[in-house]
Amino acid sequence: RLRYVELNHGRISQLACLGHIVTSAGIRLPGNISNEEGLAFADVPAGLKALSVMPGSGLLQIVIFIGILETAVMKDVTGEAEFVGDFRNGFIDFGWDTFDE
């Protein structure tokens, strides 16, 4: 269980670092993040400053989405995991484990 949690948090940390690098480089999605407030993606700063600019409903959507991923998607539901942290569930198989060297 602890190994699973460690791998899961490591993946989340990697995605967070990549997201910070991408937004710090100035790469943003086109359009508005909030139509009601007229807030464009380009107007949201990088890093923790974004929390003060984003609408509360947007932050709530992110928290709910992550909660759904944690409770319903990111787990071994089929019991076919080859190793700790294997969440493919028999769905994604590129055949990499069948190569002979």
Side-chain angles (χ1 to χ4, degrees):
R1 170 94 176 122
L2 292 178
R3 180 85 171 135
Y4 157 78
V5 172
E6 178 184 0
L7 287 171
N8 200 10
H9 289 159
R11 290 175 180 166
I12 292 170
S13 298
Q14 289 172 0
L15 288 173
C17 287
L18 181 63
H20 184 69
I21 291 169
V22 168
T23 55
S24 293
I27 300 171
R28 302 287 202 283
L29 293 172
N32 290 337
I33 192 168
S34 174
N35 288 332
E36 296 168 353
E37 297 179 18
L39 182 64
F41 282 104
D43 298 335
V44 178
L48 293 176
K49 292 180 185 175
L51 296 175
S52 64
V53 176
M54 280 187 58
S57 59
L59 291 174
L60 181 63
Q61 288 176 11
I62 292 171
V63 169
I64 290 172
F65 179 68
I66 291 172
I68 291 170
L69 287 178
E70 286 283 328
T71 58
V73 178
M74 298 296 291
K75 59 182 173 181
D76 181 24
V77 292
T78 61
E80 300 174 356
E82 296 178 19
F83 49 86
V84 176
D86 181 10
F87 302 126
R88 295 179 293 172
N89 294 317
F91 180 68
I92 300 173
D93 187 12
F94 296 114
W96 295 335
D97 53 348
T98 60
F99 289 143
D100 268 344
E101 289 188 19

